[in-house]
Amino acid sequence: MVKKRVAVIGAGITLFRRRLQETGKELSHYAVEMALDSAEMTRDDIESVVMGTAPDAFDGIHMKAENLLDGAGGARKPYTRVFVGGGTGVFAPIGGWWHVASGLFDTCLVVAEEKMSPCYPHPQTAFRTIWDPIITRPLEPNLVWIFALEMQRYMQIHNIPKEHIAAIAVKNKGNALDHPSAQLAAKITVQDVLDSEVMVWPVQRLDISPPSDGAAAMILASEDVARKYTDDPVWLDGVGWSLDSAYWTNRDLYFPEYVATAARMAYKMAKIHNPRKEISLAEPYDPFDYKEAHHTEGLLLADKGGAPKLTVEGQTFRDGDQPICPSGGLLGVGNPIAAAGLMKCCECFWQLRNEAGKRQVPKAETAVAQAWGDLMQIGTVTVFRR
Amino acid sequence: MSFEKIRDPRRVRHWKGDMECDYIYTAGIAGEKFFTTIRDKAKLLATRCAKCKITYLPPRIYCERCQASLDNWIEVPKTGTIETFTTVHMDNNGAPLSKPITLAFIRIDETDGGLIHEIGGTKPEALKIGMRVEAVFQSKSKRTGALTDIKYFKPV
């Protein structure tokens, strides 16, 4: 089925900030230029381009992938947008993988961009119209209260104290202190999280990632071509994605079945039989602290309800047995939606190349990145190996 | 009852809604310099990629061919050539315009780019592809740093 093994040979990222001066095109350019430089490639070496960018309503430009094309290196190339809402950042390299694994192209530049700050006064406005207009919208929901319902159920089912969830925010914001792109890196305590403003109980201010602007890029190549550019490729050996019913009421919110289905697909492809033993580090999607735990369980890296305790016990720190979000995650590095997901894939690449600097996890051999989105029911998973 | 025959959706159970969002757009690194120079000096700036021999107007901070960063800013003339033009007789809702608007794509001299803008100071029937035009700027006190700081292009 897979015609060619797919390598990652370069990556780039911008600062993640709120209200960056640059346009989305300019942000895309920074990330692309850094990725090309890191692979010692020129744009002529790129055969195809995949753009991942989330709702048009953030940048406020309909068909924004088309707007971003020239900044993303797509002019006069086969250029494709992929889009699954918040899951887009990890779906973009999956789209790139199709291009290369199929044998259609030997190289693919994968770019992810989000500029959320044009949406005024807050990008939350853009989410008001994603709900079913008849069943859900009459109640005027926003994303935070939908997550609060999920978080409450997750904590209740497993009897997880809020302190254990808060420990995840403390870890990720702390890890982000070592990430040069980070927006909300901070040394905080569990008490700081518990004392922060209540938004929609149990979600408090420090449980949640910030809106951001930013871009990231990654270069994929077929095995034979990758060897021409580097002696040290990282392999994208497994991809998986899955969508569950869009009806909240037909799912049990305590467990992300869509992530588990996607993870099983990716692990099977990568021939991973025991993910807890075989995966050196994971970058699950963490727009909220409970979501890191929820997704860690979805990735089959912890028992159901068991993930928060791993952080409380220190196992998920960089020097622990099961490092989780060594980048600092969305909670610490920031959350320019699609770019945040690709940032996680870039982190896997830098970790497996031993290029993560102060963030380096010892003996990193295999890494998994995951994002989540659409109507909060998609899981997108990539498995990387050195 | 056949729903296909209902032309007016308000005759069935329905809900009204909108998808309004408000935006504040900014010009970016290249756009900021381009528009503030129009505002302050009534001059057009471009960026040039020496390697690909392309001059970008509107200016960009990167070359779309080689993706290199560009910081080679040059002032270019406010004159250009009409590449194509059209005359608009209806507004966006299909209502006739009291005064038709003539729009053109103007290739700015010494660049590989250009602007789409209104043509003034002449009658539509006098226009030809290939005609030479120049930018007419608003007076300095009226310029805000926007595309409309150029009132229109007029034949030279």
Side-chain angles (χ1 to χ4, degrees), chain B residues 69-116:
Chain B
S69 286
L70 303 180
D71 55 5
N72 183 14
W73 288 81
I74 52 174
E75 187 191 326
V76 295
K78 61 176 182 175
T79 50
T81 303
I82 292 180
E83 290 260 319
T84 186
F85 67 94
T86 188
T87 303
V88 184
H89 293 275
M90 281 182 180
D91 71 13
N92 288 342
N93 297 316
L97 288 171
S98 56
K99 195 179 161 209
I101 299 165
T102 301
L103 292 167
F105 163 32
I106 300 122
R107 177 83 64 201
I108 299 294
D109 291 344
E110 298 173 24
T111 77
D112 298 286
L115 295 170
I116 292 175

Side-chain angles (χ1 to χ4, degrees), chain A residues 21-341:
Chain A
Q21 192 185 352
E22 289 83 356
T23 60
K25 290 166 180 272
E26 290 172 343
L27 292 174
S28 302
H29 160 67
Y30 290 157
V32 167
E33 190 179 42
M34 181 174 165
L36 287 172
D37 287 350
S38 80
E40 295 182 29
M41 294 172 93
T42 70
R43 193 172 165 270
D44 290 340
D45 302 321
I46 299 297
E47 294 181 2
S48 59
V49 182
V50 168
M51 163 57 74
T53 189
D56 289 352
F58 287 146
D59 294 51
I61 298 169
H62 256 134
M63 300 170 56
K64 69 168 164 165
E66 287 70 7
N67 173 267
L68 296 168
L69 176 138
D70 55 295
R76 300 185 179 184
K77 304 265 186 200
Y79 174 85
T80 307
R81 178 187 191 176
V82 295
F83 173 75
V84 286
T88 300
V90 173
F91 201 57
I94 294 175
W97 182 91
W98 301 336
H99 283 62
V100 178
S102 63
L104 195 56
F105 299 102
D106 276 320
T107 55
C108 184
L109 169 64
V110 177
V111 191
E113 178 273 359
E114 217 73 59
K115 190 163 171 79
M116 302 173 77
S117 60
C119 194
Y120 214 81
H122 193 282
Q124 185 62 240
T125 319
F127 285 117
R128 286 189 313 200
T129 50
I130 68 173
W131 317 107
D132 184 284
I134 294 159
I135 302 290
T136 317
R137 266 177 76 184
L139 295 171
E140 299 185 9
N142 69 44
L143 280 189
V144 184
W145 53 271
I146 295 291
F147 299 140
L149 291 167
E150 184 176 85
M151 181 172 176
Q152 183 84 303
R153 178 144 181 90
Y154 173 66
M155 288 166 61
Q156 289 283 326
I157 288 277
H158 298 303
N159 197 21
I160 298 168
K162 182 76 199 282
E163 289 80 353
H164 288 191
I165 303 275
I168 294 166
V170 173
K171 167 178 67 75
N172 289 6
K173 286 175 187 296
N175 280 352
L177 288 166
D178 298 322
H179 200 300
S181 293
Q183 177 180 2
L184 277 189
K187 199 169 180 216
I188 58 167
T189 65
V190 165
Q191 198 57 44
D192 291 334
V193 180
L194 300 179
D195 290 344
S196 66
E197 171 187 21
V198 175
M199 298 173 76
V200 185
W201 184 257
V203 177
Q204 292 175 269
R205 179 65 67 187
L206 291 177
D207 291 315
I208 196 169
S209 60
S212 315
D213 300 342
M218 174 172 265
I219 296 171
L220 306 181
S222 61
E223 179 164 14
D224 39 339
V225 169
R227 301 276 187 206
K228 286 186 204 162
Y229 290 99
T230 180
D231 297 329
D232 201 12
V234 165
W235 304 103
L236 177 47
D237 274 350
V239 300
W241 67 102
S242 169
L243 287 92
D244 203 343
S245 167
Y247 282 89
W248 286 85
T249 44
N250 285 84
R251 313 200 304 262
D252 191 331
L253 301 180
Y254 90 101
F255 184 72
E257 195 60 52
Y258 40 89
V259 174
T261 310
R264 284 189 202 103
M265 174 180 166
Y267 293 155
K268 187 178 175 198
M269 193 181 294
K271 298 186 173 61
I272 286 175
H273 305 289
N274 185 343
R276 291 189 207 181
K277 279 200 177 148
E278 294 174 54
I279 288 176
S280 329
L281 67 108
E283 282 281 343
Y285 205 59
D286 63 322
F288 294 76
D289 42 14
Y290 85 96
K291 264 299 183 185
E292 175 180 301
H294 204 235
H295 291 152
T296 299
E297 293 164 23
L299 289 169
L300 314 173
L301 298 174
D303 295 338
K304 289 180 180 177
K309 209 160 164 240
L310 296 178
T311 294
V312 173
E313 291 167 351
Q315 292 185 51
T316 61
F317 285 72
R318 288 182 194 132
D319 56 359
D321 289 343
Q322 262 190 294
I324 307 270
C325 288
S327 65
L330 279 50
L331 290 163
V333 185
N335 190 9
I337 310 289

Side-chain angles (χ1 to χ4, degrees), chain A residues 26 33 43 57 60 70-71 120, chain B residues 22-23 25 29 62 65 67:
Chain A
E26 290 172 343
E33 190 179 42
R43 193 172 165 270
D70 55 295
Y120 214 81
Chain B
D22 294 318
Y23 294 95
Y25 300 104
I29 303 289
Y62 52 85
R65 299 288 166 80
Q67 211 64 34

